[in-house]
Amino acid sequence: DAGVIQSPRHEVTEMGQEVTLRCKPISGHDYLFWYRQTMMRGLELLIYFNNNVPIDDSGMPEDRFSAKMPNASFSTLKIQPSEPRDSAVYFCASSPSIRQETQYFGPGTRLLVL
Amino acid sequence: QKEVEQNSGPLSVPEGAIASLNCTYSDRVSQSFFWYRQYSGKSPELIMSIYSNGDKEDGRFTAQLNKASQYVSLLIRDSQPSDSATYLCAVNMGFGNEKLTFGTGTRLTIIP
C-alpha cells in the first residue's frame, strides 16, 4: 500500500489567494483526519470524517477553512482567502477504526503564505 | 492553561543513558494517552499507547501513567542517536471521543 498520499508537498502562495490541499487515504480506512502543525500551537486536529461524513469540525479555525470528502478515496482542505498566519504543515491521517493505534499520517503539506 | 503540556527542550542525553520525557494534562476525564515520535521534516509516528495507571514496556521504551497526578512520561533506555527527534504527547478523552489533543512536543538530542 502506498500509504496516505498528500498533495502538493509544498505550497507557496500570496495572501488572499485560495489554497487547496488534497489527501488520498489508505484504501479501506473509514476515518480521515486533517491536522495543522505550527511551532507555537503544535499539532491540532482541524476536522475528521467517518465514512465521508464530517463528525467534528470544532478545530477548524474560522470560516475561511473548509473541508470536504466527496468519496472514500479523496478529501480536500481549502483555505480562502489565505493569510500569513495560515502558514503551517498540514497533515492528513487515515484509520480503519477510531483507535489511535491504527491512525496513519501522510507526509504533510508545507504551506507558506506570503 | 494548555490542555497538554510538555517541556519544549531541547533535552540532551548522552548515548546509552536513559532519556526521560514528561507530559501533564489538564482534563481529569482523559482516558487514553499516546507518545508519538517525529523526525525533522517528517510526519508523526505512534510509538506507545497507555490506558491504565502504571508502566507499559515495549523494547527500550517505557510509558508511565499516573492519572491521580495527571502526568504521563516516556522513558527511553540505552538511548541511541537515532532516537533524536521531537516527541509528542497526546491525550484522548475516550468514551468514543476520537479527538486527540497534542502537546507541542519535546525535542530530544542524543549525544554520541
Side-chain angles (χ1 to χ4, degrees), chain A residues 36-44 89, chain B residues 88 102-105:
Chain A
R36 178 175 67 176
Q37 187 173 37
T38 62
M39 289 291 289
M40 289 298 297
R41 299 176 65 89
L43 192 62
E44 303 173 283
V89 181
Chain B
L88 307 177
F102 285 83
T104 53

Side-chain angles (χ1 to χ4, degrees), chain A residues 3-74:
Chain A
V4 177
I5 298 173
Q6 291 187 247
S7 65
R9 295 293 308 277
H10 302 273
E11 177 82 21
V12 180
T13 190
E14 293 186 346
M15 181 174 64
Q17 296 298 306
E18 178 179 295
V19 175
T20 299
L21 310 181
R22 298 172 176 80
C23 175
K24 177 178 170 55
I26 294 172
S27 178
H29 284 194
D30 294 331
Y31 288 82
L32 184 139
F33 305 81
W34 281 102
Y35 292 90
R36 178 175 67 176
Q37 187 173 37
T38 62
M39 289 291 289
M40 289 298 297
R41 299 176 65 89
L43 192 62
E44 303 173 283
L45 177 66
L46 300 178
I47 185 172
Y48 78 89
F49 296 82
N50 180 23
N51 292 322
N52 313 336
V53 176
I55 303 301
D56 185 346
D57 65 354
S58 60
M60 295 286 263
E62 49 197 274
D63 292 345
R64 297 185 297 107
F65 286 69
S66 62
K68 294 182 180 179
M69 192 164 186
N71 57 62
S73 59
F74 183 65

Side-chain angles (χ1 to χ4, degrees), chain B residues 47-78:
Chain B
I47 55 172
M48 289 289 287
S49 60
I50 188 166
Y51 303 96
S52 305
N53 279 327
D55 295 359
K56 178 182 178 182
E57 186 175 318
D58 184 1
R60 295 186 298 111
F61 298 97
T62 299
Q64 300 175 317
L65 175 61
N66 184 323
K67 288 188 177 181
S69 300
Q70 295 177 241
Y71 83 78
V72 57
S73 62
L74 178 70
L75 301 178
I76 307 175
R77 291 182 300 281
D78 188 24

Side-chain angles (χ1 to χ4, degrees), chain A residues 9 31 33 35 37 39-43 45 48 56 58-59 91 98-101 103 105-107 110, chain B residues 2 32 34 36 38 41-46 49 51 56 88 92 96-104:
Chain A
R9 295 293 308 277
Y31 288 82
F33 305 81
Y35 292 90
Q37 187 173 37
M39 289 291 289
M40 289 298 297
R41 299 176 65 89
L43 192 62
L45 177 66
Y48 78 89
D56 185 346
S58 60
F91 289 103
I98 64 172
R99 296 178 64 82
Q100 269 68 44
E101 290 91 332
Q103 193 172 128
F105 281 80
R110 188 173 296 272
Chain B
K2 291 184 180 178
S32 309
F34 305 89
Y36 287 78
Q38 187 174 24
K42 302 296 185 182
S43 55
E45 57 176 321
L46 182 67
S49 60
Y51 303 96
K56 178 182 178 182
L88 307 177
N92 183 315
N97 182 335
E98 296 82 1
K99 183 174 180 178
L100 277 180
T101 301
F102 285 83
T104 53

